[in-house]
Amino acid sequence: MPKFIGLIGYPLKHSISPYFQQAALDYYQLDIRYEAWETGPRKLEPTIAKLREPQNLGANVTVPHKEAVLPLLDEVANLASLIGAVNTIVRRDDKLLGFNTDADGFLQALHKEGHFEPEGKRVVILGAGGVARAVCFALVREKASSLIIVNRTPARAKTLADSLRSHIRDSSLRSEGLKTEVTTLPWQALNLGKTFGRCHLIVNCTTIGMKYSPQEGQSPLSLAVIPSGVLVYDLVYNPCPTPLLLVAEKAGANTLDGLAMLVYQGAASFELWTGREPPVDIMLKRAREAIGGER
Ligand code: NAP
């Protein structure tokens, strides 16, 4: 009898996770099927309850349920509760455990594909939603020297900055020497070259440029404000490359697309479910084919 891993979210029509996760499961010839379980908000509770059945090993959770799912689980890992979002559920016996692999996926892609070491670096973050939270906590833990958070809705940027500062001040973490300086700027600051003048890394955590969104085809930054030599990392993975990455290339910046992060966060989930080393190259190849087929 096969076992199952679900992808829980709504809508799921354009998700490519089933392609590269199944490729990884097939690589090990595991009798496990990774399936898209499209789940509207009213169905979230019964879907999570079903995960407790013995044929199910766990799930990925995506938009819009990453936050709503927390109270439905038995245990939530520290990093996931700091971030306030779960993207991976593992069933261990009769317990459902929640994890966040976005932070890990972001860093793995940054190190391995972007060849970038965040310690001591100045970073500008566009956005303050769910994935921005994961990215900012990851960069604080990696000891980036400064984070500037720029978001359309200032209150959301302030909430994120406050929780990062309180994490940095947390006395139990003093021995880890976290010392990132966190500031926020209004959205209009994106038009000013001086916002980026001294930074090493720009991360787009907004949905701007995403295929099928109202901002499809748009870039959050103009060519004039992007310094040459900076690394521009766009977490939007469809289309690939995005309008922002095309502009960044013209500006002489280095670029990193969001597909690598998508695969690395999925690879970390794969390891949690199966205990096996994820075949990242196979997963990346399959993800690139799936996005290519989408275009
Ligand atoms: P979210 O929680 O809904 O946050 C969306 C962010 O985009 C917010 O900061 C929002 O600003 C901003 N935004 C939306 N429309 C905007 C506009 N017209 N002008 C300016 N800002 C706008 O979404 P999320 O889960 O963080 O995801 C954000 C993006 O990251 C998505 O495109 C998603 O596909 C991508 N992502 C990629 C990966 C990966 O593995 N590569 C993983 C997770 C997410 P306000 O606060 O003002 O609304």
Side-chain angles (χ1 to χ4, degrees), residues 63 66-67 102 126-132 151-153 156 187 204-208 210 215 234-237 258-259 261-263 265:
V63 179
K66 284 186 185 181
E67 285 135 49
D102 279 338
L126 317 186
V131 79
N151 194 47
R152 178 182 60 176
T153 306
R156 213 170 176 192
W187 189 243
N204 178 35
C205 302
T206 75
T207 50
I208 298 174
M210 194 167 85
Q215 293 80 38
D234 196 347
L235 303 195
V236 174
Y237 55 84
L259 204 61
M261 168 172 167
L262 184 74
V263 169
Q265 62 79 33

PDB file of all heavy atoms in Angstrom, residues 63 66-67 102 126-132 151-153 156 187 204-208 210 215 234-237 258-259 261-263 265, ligand 1:
ATOM      1  N   VAL A  63       0.385  29.001   0.796  1.00  0.00           N
ATOM      2  CA  VAL A  63      -0.587  30.098   0.861  1.00  0.00           C
ATOM      3  C   VAL A  63      -1.998  29.549   0.720  1.00  0.00           C
ATOM      4  O   VAL A  63      -2.215  28.710  -0.166  1.00  0.00           O
ATOM      5  CB  VAL A  63      -0.308  31.095  -0.294  1.00  0.00           C
ATOM      6  CG1 VAL A  63      -1.300  32.247  -0.293  1.00  0.00           C
ATOM      7  CG2 VAL A  63       1.123  31.629  -0.174  1.00  0.00           C
ATOM      8  N   LYS A  66      -0.259  28.961   5.957  1.00  0.00           N
ATOM      9  CA  LYS A  66       0.977  28.749   6.720  1.00  0.00           C
ATOM     10  C   LYS A  66       0.874  29.214   8.177  1.00  0.00           C
ATOM     11  O   LYS A  66       1.544  28.689   9.049  1.00  0.00           O
ATOM     12  CB  LYS A  66       2.139  29.495   6.048  1.00  0.00           C
ATOM     13  CG  LYS A  66       2.672  28.829   4.804  1.00  0.00           C
ATOM     14  CD  LYS A  66       3.903  29.573   4.321  1.00  0.00           C
ATOM     15  CE  LYS A  66       4.419  29.035   3.018  1.00  0.00           C
ATOM     16  NZ  LYS A  66       5.625  29.734   2.567  1.00  0.00           N
ATOM     17  N   GLU A  67       0.057  30.239   8.421  1.00  0.00           N
ATOM     18  CA  GLU A  67      -0.095  30.717   9.796  1.00  0.00           C
ATOM     19  C   GLU A  67      -1.260  30.018  10.496  1.00  0.00           C
ATOM     20  O   GLU A  67      -1.156  29.618  11.646  1.00  0.00           O
ATOM     21  CB  GLU A  67      -0.304  32.235   9.812  1.00  0.00           C
ATOM     22  CG  GLU A  67       0.982  32.990   9.531  1.00  0.00           C
ATOM     23  CD  GLU A  67       0.817  34.126   8.536  1.00  0.00           C
ATOM     24  OE1 GLU A  67      -0.106  34.929   8.695  1.00  0.00           O
ATOM     25  OE2 GLU A  67       1.624  34.197   7.585  1.00  0.00           O
ATOM     26  N   ASP A 102      11.446  27.286   5.049  1.00  0.00           N
ATOM     27  CA  ASP A 102      11.722  28.421   4.147  1.00  0.00           C
ATOM     28  C   ASP A 102      13.051  29.090   4.507  1.00  0.00           C
ATOM     29  O   ASP A 102      13.823  29.471   3.618  1.00  0.00           O
ATOM     30  CB  ASP A 102      10.601  29.465   4.226  1.00  0.00           C
ATOM     31  CG  ASP A 102       9.396  29.091   3.367  1.00  0.00           C
ATOM     32  OD1 ASP A 102       9.556  28.301   2.417  1.00  0.00           O
ATOM     33  OD2 ASP A 102       8.291  29.583   3.659  1.00  0.00           O
ATOM     34  N   LEU A 126      12.790  43.734   0.544  1.00  0.00           N
ATOM     35  CA  LEU A 126      11.543  44.306   0.039  1.00  0.00           C
ATOM     36  C   LEU A 126      10.413  43.384   0.476  1.00  0.00           C
ATOM     37  O   LEU A 126      10.411  42.204   0.102  1.00  0.00           O
ATOM     38  CB  LEU A 126      11.537  44.412  -1.489  1.00  0.00           C
ATOM     39  CG  LEU A 126      12.797  44.915  -2.193  1.00  0.00           C
ATOM     40  CD1 LEU A 126      12.533  45.077  -3.687  1.00  0.00           C
ATOM     41  CD2 LEU A 126      13.257  46.226  -1.599  1.00  0.00           C
ATOM     42  N   GLY A 127       9.460  43.932   1.276  1.00  0.00           N
ATOM     43  CA  GLY A 127       8.337  43.127   1.740  1.00  0.00           C
ATOM     44  C   GLY A 127       8.458  42.794   3.220  1.00  0.00           C
ATOM     45  O   GLY A 127       9.560  42.857   3.798  1.00  0.00           O
ATOM     46  N   ALA A 128       7.318  42.467   3.823  1.00  0.00           N
ATOM     47  CA  ALA A 128       7.308  42.110   5.251  1.00  0.00           C
ATOM     48  C   ALA A 128       6.240  41.051   5.519  1.00  0.00           C
ATOM     49  O   ALA A 128       5.716  40.951   6.627  1.00  0.00           O
ATOM     50  CB  ALA A 128       7.057  43.357   6.107  1.00  0.00           C
ATOM     51  N   GLY A 129       5.898  40.255   4.492  1.00  0.00           N
ATOM     52  CA  GLY A 129       4.902  39.196   4.648  1.00  0.00           C
ATOM     53  C   GLY A 129       5.539  37.928   5.206  1.00  0.00           C
ATOM     54  O   GLY A 129       6.611  37.979   5.826  1.00  0.00           O
ATOM     55  N   GLY A 130       4.869  36.799   4.962  1.00  0.00           N
ATOM     56  CA  GLY A 130       5.297  35.531   5.562  1.00  0.00           C
ATOM     57  C   GLY A 130       6.725  35.150   5.226  1.00  0.00           C
ATOM     58  O   GLY A 130       7.528  34.830   6.107  1.00  0.00           O
ATOM     59  N   VAL A 131       7.091  35.210   3.945  1.00  0.00           N
ATOM     60  CA  VAL A 131       8.422  34.740   3.589  1.00  0.00           C
ATOM     61  C   VAL A 131       9.493  35.747   4.024  1.00  0.00           C
ATOM     62  O   VAL A 131      10.610  35.358   4.387  1.00  0.00           O
ATOM     63  CB  VAL A 131       8.506  34.382   2.084  1.00  0.00           C
ATOM     64  CG1 VAL A 131       8.670  35.596   1.203  1.00  0.00           C
ATOM     65  CG2 VAL A 131       9.642  33.410   1.847  1.00  0.00           C
ATOM     66  N   ALA A 132       9.138  37.038   4.059  1.00  0.00           N
ATOM     67  CA  ALA A 132      10.094  38.046   4.558  1.00  0.00           C
ATOM     68  C   ALA A 132      10.449  37.750   6.016  1.00  0.00           C
ATOM     69  O   ALA A 132      11.607  37.919   6.437  1.00  0.00           O
ATOM     70  CB  ALA A 132       9.495  39.448   4.432  1.00  0.00           C
ATOM     71  N   ASN A 151       8.545  48.103   3.162  1.00  0.00           N
ATOM     72  CA  ASN A 151       7.279  47.452   2.826  1.00  0.00           C
ATOM     73  C   ASN A 151       6.220  48.483   2.500  1.00  0.00           C
ATOM     74  O   ASN A 151       6.234  49.603   3.012  1.00  0.00           O
ATOM     75  CB  ASN A 151       6.801  46.584   4.001  1.00  0.00           C
ATOM     76  CG  ASN A 151       5.700  45.629   3.584  1.00  0.00           C
ATOM     77  OD1 ASN A 151       5.824  44.960   2.551  1.00  0.00           O
ATOM     78  ND2 ASN A 151       4.613  45.564   4.337  1.00  0.00           N
ATOM     79  N   ARG A 152       5.290  48.112   1.606  1.00  0.00           N
ATOM     80  CA  ARG A 152       4.215  49.029   1.214  1.00  0.00           C
ATOM     81  C   ARG A 152       3.389  49.442   2.432  1.00  0.00           C
ATOM     82  O   ARG A 152       3.051  50.598   2.599  1.00  0.00           O
ATOM     83  CB  ARG A 152       3.332  48.320   0.173  1.00  0.00           C
ATOM     84  CG  ARG A 152       2.159  49.109  -0.281  1.00  0.00           C
ATOM     85  CD  ARG A 152       1.332  48.323  -1.262  1.00  0.00           C
ATOM     86  NE  ARG A 152       0.825  47.070  -0.700  1.00  0.00           N
ATOM     87  CZ  ARG A 152       0.011  46.237  -1.331  1.00  0.00           C
ATOM     88  NH1 ARG A 152      -0.361  46.494  -2.574  1.00  0.00           N
ATOM     89  NH2 ARG A 152      -0.419  45.120  -0.776  1.00  0.00           N
ATOM     90  N   THR A 153       3.070  48.476   3.294  1.00  0.00           N
ATOM     91  CA  THR A 153       2.295  48.784   4.505  1.00  0.00           C
ATOM     92  C   THR A 153       3.280  48.951   5.670  1.00  0.00           C
ATOM     93  O   THR A 153       3.851  47.957   6.149  1.00  0.00           O
ATOM     94  CB  THR A 153       1.313  47.622   4.816  1.00  0.00           C
ATOM     95  OG1 THR A 153       0.531  47.385   3.645  1.00  0.00           O
ATOM     96  CG2 THR A 153       0.417  47.938   5.994  1.00  0.00           C
ATOM     97  N   ARG A 156       3.264  46.743   8.976  1.00  0.00           N
ATOM     98  CA  ARG A 156       3.726  45.348   8.887  1.00  0.00           C
ATOM     99  C   ARG A 156       5.255  45.284   8.997  1.00  0.00           C
ATOM    100  O   ARG A 156       5.806  44.380   9.619  1.00  0.00           O
ATOM    101  CB  ARG A 156       3.258  44.774   7.559  1.00  0.00           C
ATOM    102  CG  ARG A 156       2.931  43.309   7.613  1.00  0.00           C
ATOM    103  CD  ARG A 156       2.257  42.903   6.330  1.00  0.00           C
ATOM    104  NE  ARG A 156       2.014  41.480   6.297  1.00  0.00           N
ATOM    105  CZ  ARG A 156       1.650  40.831   5.195  1.00  0.00           C
ATOM    106  NH1 ARG A 156       1.493  41.482   4.064  1.00  0.00           N
ATOM    107  NH2 ARG A 156       1.438  39.541   5.236  1.00  0.00           N
ATOM    108  N   TRP A 187       7.977  52.803   1.621  1.00  0.00           N
ATOM    109  CA  TRP A 187       8.006  52.204   0.275  1.00  0.00           C
ATOM    110  C   TRP A 187       8.626  53.161  -0.760  1.00  0.00           C
ATOM    111  O   TRP A 187       9.339  52.742  -1.668  1.00  0.00           O
ATOM    112  CB  TRP A 187       6.577  51.813  -0.119  1.00  0.00           C
ATOM    113  CG  TRP A 187       6.476  50.995  -1.364  1.00  0.00           C
ATOM    114  CD1 TRP A 187       5.850  51.352  -2.517  1.00  0.00           C
ATOM    115  CD2 TRP A 187       6.990  49.677  -1.594  1.00  0.00           C
ATOM    116  NE1 TRP A 187       5.954  50.343  -3.443  1.00  0.00           N
ATOM    117  CE2 TRP A 187       6.653  49.297  -2.903  1.00  0.00           C
ATOM    118  CE3 TRP A 187       7.717  48.772  -0.805  1.00  0.00           C
ATOM    119  CZ2 TRP A 187       7.001  48.079  -3.461  1.00  0.00           C
ATOM    120  CZ3 TRP A 187       8.078  47.546  -1.364  1.00  0.00           C
ATOM    121  CH2 TRP A 187       7.720  47.214  -2.671  1.00  0.00           C
ATOM    122  N   ASN A 204      14.004  40.359  -2.822  1.00  0.00           N
ATOM    123  CA  ASN A 204      12.601  40.687  -3.064  1.00  0.00           C
ATOM    124  C   ASN A 204      11.707  39.616  -2.452  1.00  0.00           C
ATOM    125  O   ASN A 204      11.658  38.479  -2.923  1.00  0.00           O
ATOM    126  CB  ASN A 204      12.299  40.794  -4.566  1.00  0.00           C
ATOM    127  CG  ASN A 204      10.824  41.086  -4.796  1.00  0.00           C
ATOM    128  OD1 ASN A 204      10.188  41.799  -4.009  1.00  0.00           O
ATOM    129  ND2 ASN A 204      10.250  40.550  -5.858  1.00  0.00           N
ATOM    130  N   CYS A 205      10.998  40.010  -1.392  1.00  0.00           N
ATOM    131  CA  CYS A 205      10.052  39.090  -0.725  1.00  0.00           C
ATOM    132  C   CYS A 205       8.615  39.531  -0.992  1.00  0.00           C
ATOM    133  O   CYS A 205       7.706  39.125  -0.262  1.00  0.00           O
ATOM    134  CB  CYS A 205      10.295  39.079   0.778  1.00  0.00           C
ATOM    135  SG  CYS A 205      11.940  38.613   1.276  1.00  0.00           S
ATOM    136  N   THR A 206       8.397  40.396  -1.982  1.00  0.00           N
ATOM    137  CA  THR A 206       7.028  40.761  -2.338  1.00  0.00           C
ATOM    138  C   THR A 206       6.554  39.858  -3.478  1.00  0.00           C
ATOM    139  O   THR A 206       7.329  39.081  -4.026  1.00  0.00           O
ATOM    140  CB  THR A 206       6.918  42.234  -2.814  1.00  0.00           C
ATOM    141  OG1 THR A 206       7.439  42.335  -4.141  1.00  0.00           O
ATOM    142  CG2 THR A 206       7.663  43.185  -1.892  1.00  0.00           C
ATOM    143  N   THR A 207       5.283  40.018  -3.841  1.00  0.00           N
ATOM    144  CA  THR A 207       4.734  39.231  -4.951  1.00  0.00           C
ATOM    145  C   THR A 207       4.889  39.966  -6.289  1.00  0.00           C
ATOM    146  O   THR A 207       4.441  39.452  -7.323  1.00  0.00           O
ATOM    147  CB  THR A 207       3.242  38.964  -4.707  1.00  0.00           C
ATOM    148  OG1 THR A 207       2.635  40.223  -4.391  1.00  0.00           O
ATOM    149  CG2 THR A 207       3.005  38.014  -3.561  1.00  0.00           C
ATOM    150  N   ILE A 208       5.548  41.130  -6.280  1.00  0.00           N
ATOM    151  CA  ILE A 208       5.649  41.933  -7.519  1.00  0.00           C
ATOM    152  C   ILE A 208       6.451  41.172  -8.584  1.00  0.00           C
ATOM    153  O   ILE A 208       7.560  40.703  -8.313  1.00  0.00           O
ATOM    154  CB  ILE A 208       6.294  43.305  -7.233  1.00  0.00           C
ATOM    155  CG1 ILE A 208       5.413  44.081  -6.264  1.00  0.00           C
ATOM    156  CG2 ILE A 208       6.504  44.098  -8.531  1.00  0.00           C
ATOM    157  CD1 ILE A 208       6.020  45.378  -5.801  1.00  0.00           C
ATOM    158  N   MET A 210       5.223  38.464 -10.066  1.00  0.00           N
ATOM    159  CA  MET A 210       4.790  37.057 -10.086  1.00  0.00           C
ATOM    160  C   MET A 210       3.773  36.811 -11.202  1.00  0.00           C
ATOM    161  O   MET A 210       2.844  37.600 -11.380  1.00  0.00           O
ATOM    162  CB  MET A 210       4.159  36.708  -8.732  1.00  0.00           C
ATOM    163  CG  MET A 210       3.971  35.253  -8.500  1.00  0.00           C
ATOM    164  SD  MET A 210       3.604  34.960  -6.768  1.00  0.00           S
ATOM    165  CE  MET A 210       1.865  35.225  -6.743  1.00  0.00           C
ATOM    166  N   GLN A 215       0.510  42.220 -10.514  1.00  0.00           N
ATOM    167  CA  GLN A 215       1.780  42.908 -10.828  1.00  0.00           C
ATOM    168  C   GLN A 215       2.665  42.091 -11.770  1.00  0.00           C
ATOM    169  O   GLN A 215       3.878  42.310 -11.838  1.00  0.00           O
ATOM    170  CB  GLN A 215       2.564  43.221  -9.548  1.00  0.00           C
ATOM    171  CG  GLN A 215       1.923  44.237  -8.640  1.00  0.00           C
ATOM    172  CD  GLN A 215       0.835  43.601  -7.817  1.00  0.00           C
ATOM    173  OE1 GLN A 215       0.975  42.463  -7.384  1.00  0.00           O
ATOM    174  NE2 GLN A 215      -0.251  44.321  -7.603  1.00  0.00           N
ATOM    175  N   ASP A 234      15.687  37.302  -6.052  1.00  0.00           N
ATOM    176  CA  ASP A 234      14.235  37.443  -6.182  1.00  0.00           C
ATOM    177  C   ASP A 234      13.583  36.127  -5.782  1.00  0.00           C
ATOM    178  O   ASP A 234      13.797  35.099  -6.423  1.00  0.00           O
ATOM    179  CB  ASP A 234      13.870  37.796  -7.632  1.00  0.00           C
ATOM    180  CG  ASP A 234      12.444  38.322  -7.736  1.00  0.00           C
ATOM    181  OD1 ASP A 234      11.685  38.179  -6.757  1.00  0.00           O
ATOM    182  OD2 ASP A 234      12.099  38.880  -8.790  1.00  0.00           O
ATOM    183  N   LEU A 235      12.761  36.159  -4.723  1.00  0.00           N
ATOM    184  CA  LEU A 235      12.137  34.914  -4.265  1.00  0.00           C
ATOM    185  C   LEU A 235      10.968  34.490  -5.149  1.00  0.00           C
ATOM    186  O   LEU A 235      10.516  33.354  -5.073  1.00  0.00           O
ATOM    187  CB  LEU A 235      11.681  35.050  -2.804  1.00  0.00           C
ATOM    188  CG  LEU A 235      12.765  35.428  -1.794  1.00  0.00           C
ATOM    189  CD1 LEU A 235      12.269  35.163  -0.381  1.00  0.00           C
ATOM    190  CD2 LEU A 235      14.070  34.703  -2.030  1.00  0.00           C
ATOM    191  N   VAL A 236      10.498  35.425  -5.984  1.00  0.00           N
ATOM    192  CA  VAL A 236       9.480  35.046  -6.966  1.00  0.00           C
ATOM    193  C   VAL A 236      10.153  34.091  -7.948  1.00  0.00           C
ATOM    194  O   VAL A 236      11.245  34.373  -8.438  1.00  0.00           O
ATOM    195  CB  VAL A 236       8.953  36.293  -7.717  1.00  0.00           C
ATOM    196  CG1 VAL A 236       8.008  35.892  -8.838  1.00  0.00           C
ATOM    197  CG2 VAL A 236       8.250  37.243  -6.741  1.00  0.00           C
ATOM    198  N   TYR A 237       9.535  32.935  -8.203  1.00  0.00           N
ATOM    199  CA  TYR A 237      10.204  31.934  -9.043  1.00  0.00           C
ATOM    200  C   TYR A 237       9.502  31.692 -10.377  1.00  0.00           C
ATOM    201  O   TYR A 237      10.011  30.925 -11.200  1.00  0.00           O
ATOM    202  CB  TYR A 237      10.384  30.612  -8.287  1.00  0.00           C
ATOM    203  CG  TYR A 237       9.096  30.057  -7.734  1.00  0.00           C
ATOM    204  CD1 TYR A 237       8.252  29.292  -8.520  1.00  0.00           C
ATOM    205  CD2 TYR A 237       8.728  30.319  -6.419  1.00  0.00           C
ATOM    206  CE1 TYR A 237       7.070  28.795  -8.003  1.00  0.00           C
ATOM    207  CE2 TYR A 237       7.554  29.837  -5.904  1.00  0.00           C
ATOM    208  CZ  TYR A 237       6.732  29.073  -6.702  1.00  0.00           C
ATOM    209  OH  TYR A 237       5.554  28.595  -6.189  1.00  0.00           O
ATOM    210  N   GLY A 258      14.365  32.577  -7.492  1.00  0.00           N
ATOM    211  CA  GLY A 258      13.658  31.943  -6.380  1.00  0.00           C
ATOM    212  C   GLY A 258      13.456  30.448  -6.532  1.00  0.00           C
ATOM    213  O   GLY A 258      13.045  29.776  -5.582  1.00  0.00           O
ATOM    214  N   LEU A 259      13.746  29.934  -7.727  1.00  0.00           N
ATOM    215  CA  LEU A 259      13.532  28.505  -7.951  1.00  0.00           C
ATOM    216  C   LEU A 259      14.478  27.670  -7.078  1.00  0.00           C
ATOM    217  O   LEU A 259      14.091  26.617  -6.561  1.00  0.00           O
ATOM    218  CB  LEU A 259      13.760  28.192  -9.432  1.00  0.00           C
ATOM    219  CG  LEU A 259      13.057  26.953  -9.944  1.00  0.00           C
ATOM    220  CD1 LEU A 259      11.551  27.086  -9.800  1.00  0.00           C
ATOM    221  CD2 LEU A 259      13.409  26.711 -11.399  1.00  0.00           C
ATOM    222  N   MET A 261      15.614  28.452  -4.113  1.00  0.00           N
ATOM    223  CA  MET A 261      15.081  28.412  -2.741  1.00  0.00           C
ATOM    224  C   MET A 261      13.893  27.449  -2.648  1.00  0.00           C
ATOM    225  O   MET A 261      13.768  26.678  -1.699  1.00  0.00           O
ATOM    226  CB  MET A 261      14.640  29.804  -2.303  1.00  0.00           C
ATOM    227  CG  MET A 261      13.831  29.759  -1.022  1.00  0.00           C
ATOM    228  SD  MET A 261      13.483  31.370  -0.344  1.00  0.00           S
ATOM    229  CE  MET A 261      12.233  30.922   0.869  1.00  0.00           C
ATOM    230  N   LEU A 262      13.023  27.502  -3.667  1.00  0.00           N
ATOM    231  CA  LEU A 262      11.849  26.614  -3.657  1.00  0.00           C
ATOM    232  C   LEU A 262      12.301  25.160  -3.543  1.00  0.00           C
ATOM    233  O   LEU A 262      11.745  24.372  -2.771  1.00  0.00           O
ATOM    234  CB  LEU A 262      11.035  26.819  -4.940  1.00  0.00           C
ATOM    235  CG  LEU A 262       9.748  26.029  -4.997  1.00  0.00           C
ATOM    236  CD1 LEU A 262       8.703  26.637  -4.074  1.00  0.00           C
ATOM    237  CD2 LEU A 262       9.203  25.961  -6.416  1.00  0.00           C
ATOM    238  N   VAL A 263      13.332  24.817  -4.309  1.00  0.00           N
ATOM    239  CA  VAL A 263      13.816  23.441  -4.298  1.00  0.00           C
ATOM    240  C   VAL A 263      14.511  23.124  -2.966  1.00  0.00           C
ATOM    241  O   VAL A 263      14.282  22.063  -2.377  1.00  0.00           O
ATOM    242  CB  VAL A 263      14.748  23.186  -5.505  1.00  0.00           C
ATOM    243  CG1 VAL A 263      15.479  21.859  -5.363  1.00  0.00           C
ATOM    244  CG2 VAL A 263      13.929  23.209  -6.792  1.00  0.00           C
ATOM    245  N   GLN A 265      14.017  24.511   0.003  1.00  0.00           N
ATOM    246  CA  GLN A 265      13.065  24.363   1.120  1.00  0.00           C
ATOM    247  C   GLN A 265      12.333  23.029   0.995  1.00  0.00           C
ATOM    248  O   GLN A 265      12.071  22.356   1.984  1.00  0.00           O
ATOM    249  CB  GLN A 265      12.120  25.574   1.273  1.00  0.00           C
ATOM    250  CG  GLN A 265      11.181  25.908   0.101  1.00  0.00           C
ATOM    251  CD  GLN A 265       9.943  25.041   0.026  1.00  0.00           C
ATOM    252  OE1 GLN A 265       9.424  24.620   1.052  1.00  0.00           O
ATOM    253  NE2 GLN A 265       9.474  24.752  -1.180  1.00  0.00           N
TER     254      GLN A 265
HETATM  255  P1  NAP B   1       2.513  37.496   1.708  1.00  0.00           P
HETATM  256  O1  NAP B   1       2.664  37.073   3.122  1.00  0.00           O
HETATM  257  O2  NAP B   1       1.142  37.638   1.131  1.00  0.00           O
HETATM  258  O3  NAP B   1       3.310  38.894   1.529  1.00  0.00           O
HETATM  259  C1  NAP B   1       3.247  39.601   0.313  1.00  0.00           C
HETATM  260  C2  NAP B   1       4.201  40.784   0.340  1.00  0.00           C
HETATM  261  O4  NAP B   1       4.144  41.434  -0.935  1.00  0.00           O
HETATM  262  C3  NAP B   1       3.854  41.839   1.385  1.00  0.00           C
HETATM  263  O5  NAP B   1       5.025  42.446   1.858  1.00  0.00           O
HETATM  264  C4  NAP B   1       3.029  42.827   0.542  1.00  0.00           C
HETATM  265  O6  NAP B   1       3.025  44.150   1.071  1.00  0.00           O
HETATM  266  C5  NAP B   1       3.812  42.810  -0.749  1.00  0.00           C
HETATM  267  N1  NAP B   1       3.006  43.285  -1.885  1.00  0.00           N
HETATM  268  C6  NAP B   1       1.983  42.650  -2.491  1.00  0.00           C
HETATM  269  N2  NAP B   1       1.497  43.410  -3.513  1.00  0.00           N
HETATM  270  C7  NAP B   1       2.250  44.546  -3.527  1.00  0.00           C
HETATM  271  C8  NAP B   1       2.242  45.715  -4.349  1.00  0.00           C
HETATM  272  N3  NAP B   1       1.374  45.873  -5.342  1.00  0.00           N
HETATM  273  N4  NAP B   1       3.144  46.693  -4.084  1.00  0.00           N
HETATM  274  C9  NAP B   1       4.039  46.541  -3.080  1.00  0.00           C
HETATM  275  N5  NAP B   1       4.087  45.467  -2.271  1.00  0.00           N
HETATM  276  C10 NAP B   1       3.201  44.475  -2.499  1.00  0.00           C
HETATM  277  O7  NAP B   1       3.260  36.489   0.715  1.00  0.00           O
HETATM  278  P2  NAP B   1       4.572  35.585   1.032  1.00  0.00           P
HETATM  279  O8  NAP B   1       4.135  34.234   1.440  1.00  0.00           O
HETATM  280  O9  NAP B   1       5.467  36.370   1.914  1.00  0.00           O
HETATM  281  O10 NAP B   1       5.182  35.438  -0.438  1.00  0.00           O
HETATM  282  C11 NAP B   1       5.770  36.559  -1.116  1.00  0.00           C
HETATM  283  C12 NAP B   1       6.391  36.085  -2.426  1.00  0.00           C
HETATM  284  O11 NAP B   1       7.462  35.186  -2.158  1.00  0.00           O
HETATM  285  C13 NAP B   1       5.422  35.326  -3.343  1.00  0.00           C
HETATM  286  O12 NAP B   1       5.632  35.733  -4.670  1.00  0.00           O
HETATM  287  C14 NAP B   1       5.810  33.870  -3.173  1.00  0.00           C
HETATM  288  O13 NAP B   1       5.575  33.111  -4.338  1.00  0.00           O
HETATM  289  C15 NAP B   1       7.309  34.020  -2.927  1.00  0.00           C
HETATM  290  N6  NAP B   1       7.821  32.866  -2.163  1.00  0.00           N
HETATM  291  C16 NAP B   1       8.841  32.178  -2.714  1.00  0.00           C
HETATM  292  C17 NAP B   1       9.361  31.095  -2.037  1.00  0.00           C
HETATM  293  C18 NAP B   1      10.478  30.331  -2.673  1.00  0.00           C
HETATM  294  O14 NAP B   1      10.788  29.233  -2.190  1.00  0.00           O
HETATM  295  N7  NAP B   1      11.118  30.852  -3.691  1.00  0.00           N
HETATM  296  C19 NAP B   1       8.868  30.704  -0.783  1.00  0.00           C
HETATM  297  C20 NAP B   1       7.827  31.447  -0.239  1.00  0.00           C
HETATM  298  C21 NAP B   1       7.307  32.546  -0.948  1.00  0.00           C
HETATM  299  P3  NAP B   1       1.874  44.608   2.115  1.00  0.00           P
HETATM  300  O15 NAP B   1       2.329  44.139   3.469  1.00  0.00           O
HETATM  301  O16 NAP B   1       1.855  46.063   1.961  1.00  0.00           O
HETATM  302  O17 NAP B   1       0.590  43.930   1.659  1.00  0.00           O
END
